[in-house]
Amino acid sequence: MNKSKLVSWLGNASSSVRRVQALIQREFWLLVRLKWLWIVTPVVVLVGNSFITPFGNEVTVTGGWIAVAASETAVAFASYFAVPVAFRSIIHSRQSGNIRITAGTPLTRSEIIIGTAFGRGLALFCPVLMGVVGTAILGWNHYGTLPVFLLIGYTVVTALFILAVVATITAISAVVESTVHAVACSTVCVIVMAYWTDIVAAIHQFITSQNVSIGQPPQSVILLVARRLTPINSFFVVVNTLTGVGNTDSNFVDSIQYGLQGEAGYHVGALFGSGYPIVLSPWVSVLILIAWIIVPIAFASAVFSRLDLPVQSDKFRNIFSESVPRIFRRTSYRLGFIPFRVVEFVMGAVNSDPTSESWLPIARREFTDILRSLAAPLLFGLVVMAYLYSLTTISPNISSQIGQQLPAAVGQQAVTIFGLVGPVFLGYRSIAEERESGTIRYTAGLPPSRTSVLIGKGAGLWFALSVIIGYALIVCFAIGSIQTGSFPSVAFSGTLVATIMYIGTNTAIVVALSSFFSRGVAAVSAAIVYLFFVLFWSGIHPIIWDSIFGYSYIIQPPPPDSLYFLTRRLSPRQAVTVLWNWAIGVGNSGSSYTMVLHIENAVTSPNLNALTHSLVVDVSYSDGQVPIILSPVASVGTLAVWGIIPFALALRRFQTSDLT
């Protein structure tokens, strides 16, 4: 009896494997044929090439192992492509109804998720592998040696890492109820992974009231284990161990920098010696990578098996409507509508020709839809939570240096992130989704011209986001002023104006991108690329510069290279940070105010070192002869150019586009 059950189980398992294998092949070939996917290869090579000589000529670190390790950060960056690769993998089939066809085959729902995750993961791994090999060849050419067995081991770890991230995004796609939720949750997931070490350090500091120094962290097993819980950090641990850098979850460049400065960093051997706890073993990090493949798929399979295949689009909106008191929703809506009515009144007062205001009704509709949606309270709450997080975790040293400007300063991180994320998530569908569904033809057939439609869509989104984030900042400033006892009114006003400009720039760009595409997937892919471009420009810039000119500056202070400084602050996020720092009286820089103060302290103190790509104009141009293009006022022009030119191009294209 037992033997017959075993034979039956083996037969079922064999059939399941064959079904999953067929689905893996289908998903793999579906994606690997897409031309845009192979953009990943030159991205990995470009980023990896800058790490072949990571310290330039200032610090001599050589060895054939760098030819392999050089693509470590590039692979971590390439994992962000898992979002466009997998965020629609399941939910799109549910929304279109195609999932019912797939579900009607012998495939079980668990097999659908497994086959989709592995097929798409392997498809993304192919261009990543080509980039890794290309970087290794460049390193071989530079160092003259290439450890082949090390490269093979590194390739296996890379495959595990890519599969882990794609499996997580696929699992998200399987459990959400709409494409919007899928792209939002997937993007938030990879951003949390990217900033995970900062989040863990802040939580540890909040709980223990112990400052977490980057160079000399506390000997806390819990802290180090928590840092390794994401695929990125576990990937770094395994790669660093293979290449001989050591048992550390920082990338190999940062790990070497800590050693050059005589600091432990997060090197387990330097903190605990040879008798470190087994949970900090590199083999545990391998298990964590494997767990990130198995656990999300298992969880998604359990949830997906109980879901109705047709999506319930209003599920979360109904939960919000039922859980929030009606009087609160009505009051918040009326309060939010006040600024828009002021704009309408001013427009009517200064313009006597009503036909020139044909975009206003469209803007009002867009504004109203956003203000009544779940996005409004969610974005408001996220900004306030991020502000409180920064306020409660700021180090005493930075707090004393910033002084009376602290209530305004700590909102910087929240605004630069959510002033970008809000426009991206709410704006990418503004035109593309209506074109894909066909409703744009009805809108375009109304008396307002196509120009009015595009301006109205952009203006309505800009007004709505400015109101939501603006009110959130007012609440945050009030909380910060009460806690610190200071009220820097000039800084409050300056940062609020800079925030509105920043939101307007990002809104114009995202709406312009949405109008360029007739399909939602293309629009969201372009919007996500823009999101990561702006978020990580400070890290991308030195890589591109080093690839073109063969050098970049890492040791502070760098020489006064005007073109290098200017190109660093060309991103909207760096431009608004310059204005924010100007408003709170910190140095002229596109880096966060905490980094600016750290660099200024390091430059003036012989006991401190600063190895960073961050730039502070006041430090490098110590003679006071700052070019006008590097003045804070020039950043206003940067934001204006970023907003006006893409939107103007979109207007011209949209007027002649075929909307069918």
Side-chain angles (χ1 to χ4, degrees), residues 217 219-221 224-225 227-228 237 241 245-250 255 264-282 285:
Q219 290 182 326
S220 171
V221 176
L224 267 68
V225 170
R227 285 173 56 92
R228 298 170 177 226
V237 170
T241 303
V245 173
N247 185 354
T248 173
D249 57 35
S250 303
S255 302
Y266 286 93
H267 194 294
V268 171
L271 288 172
F272 297 95
S274 58
Y276 56 82
I278 192 172
V279 291
L280 296 177
S281 167
S285 295

Side-chain angles (χ1 to χ4, degrees), residues 462 500-510 530 572 638-640 642-643:
W462 180 23
I500 294 173
M501 292 177 60
Y502 179 57
I503 295 171
T505 298
N506 290 324
T507 300
I509 294 172
V510 175
Y530 172 72
T638 300
L639 290 175
W642 267 105

Side-chain angles (χ1 to χ4, degrees), residues 270-548:
L271 288 172
F272 297 95
S274 58
Y276 56 82
I278 192 172
V279 291
L280 296 177
S281 167
W283 286 107
V284 174
S285 295
V286 175
L287 295 177
I288 291 175
L289 283 175
I290 296 173
W292 272 98
I293 300 174
I294 297 174
V295 174
I297 290 178
F299 173 77
S301 299
V303 175
F304 189 54
S305 62
R306 296 193 298 268
L307 291 177
D308 293 331
L309 291 180
V311 296
Q312 302 175 20
S313 58
D314 293 331
K315 178 180 179 181
F316 291 98
R317 183 176 296 178
N318 293 337
I319 292 175
F320 171 68
S321 301
E322 294 170 1
S323 60
V324 179
R326 184 178 180 183
I327 187 173
F328 176 79
R329 286 185 280 117
R330 183 180 298 175
T331 302
S332 61
Y333 171 73
R334 290 176 177 175
L335 188 64
F337 216 91
I338 292 175
F340 189 81
R341 293 193 184 278
V342 172
V343 172
E344 285 186 313
F345 175 79
V346 172
M347 292 294 299
V350 301
N351 197 344
S352 57
D353 183 11
T355 59
S356 64
E357 301 172 10
S358 56
W359 58 270
L360 265 176
I362 299 173
R364 186 188 302 112
R365 186 187 68 183
E366 192 79 8
F367 180 90
T368 302
D369 289 344
I370 294 174
L371 218 59
R372 286 177 171 171
S373 69
L374 178 61
L378 181 62
L379 185 59
F380 181 94
L382 288 172
V383 172
V384 174
M385 289 173 59
Y387 180 90
L388 294 176
Y389 162 80
S390 299
L391 184 64
T392 54
T393 57
I394 189 170
S395 68
N397 183 38
I398 297 294
S399 178
S400 62
Q401 284 187 270
I402 203 71
Q404 298 294 315
Q405 310 297 326
L406 181 63
V410 293
Q412 187 182 78
Q413 187 82 345
V415 165
T416 56
I417 292 177
F418 293 109
L420 170 66
V421 170
V424 167
F425 287 150
L426 296 178
Y428 82 88
R429 301 187 305 158
S430 55
I431 302 296
E433 187 178 73
E434 289 198 18
R435 291 183 67 179
E436 191 170 26
S437 64
T439 57
I440 190 67
R441 285 174 293 192
Y442 169 75
T443 304
L446 295 175
S449 63
R450 291 192 181 189
T451 299
S452 297
V453 170
L454 199 60
I455 293 176
K457 288 279 189 180
L461 179 59
W462 180 23
F463 293 158
L465 291 171
S466 297
V467 166
I468 296 168
I469 297 179
Y471 275 133
L473 281 181
I474 291 173
V475 172
C476 292
F477 291 159
I479 295 172
S481 297
I482 293 172
Q483 181 165 334
T484 61
S486 60
F487 186 81
S489 56
V490 175
F492 284 160
S493 302
T495 54
L496 195 59
V497 170
T499 298
I500 294 173
M501 292 177 60
Y502 179 57
I503 295 171
T505 298
N506 290 324
T507 300
I509 294 172
V510 175
V511 172
L513 289 174
S514 181
S515 70
F516 274 108
F517 301 100
S518 59
R519 296 181 59 221
V521 64
V524 71
S525 299
I528 290 174
V529 169
Y530 172 72
L531 172 71
F532 287 118
F533 164 79
V534 176
L535 275 180
F536 301 109
W537 174 247
S538 59
I540 297 171
H541 171 262
I543 292 172
I544 296 176
W545 189 275
D546 183 71
S547 299
I548 297 175

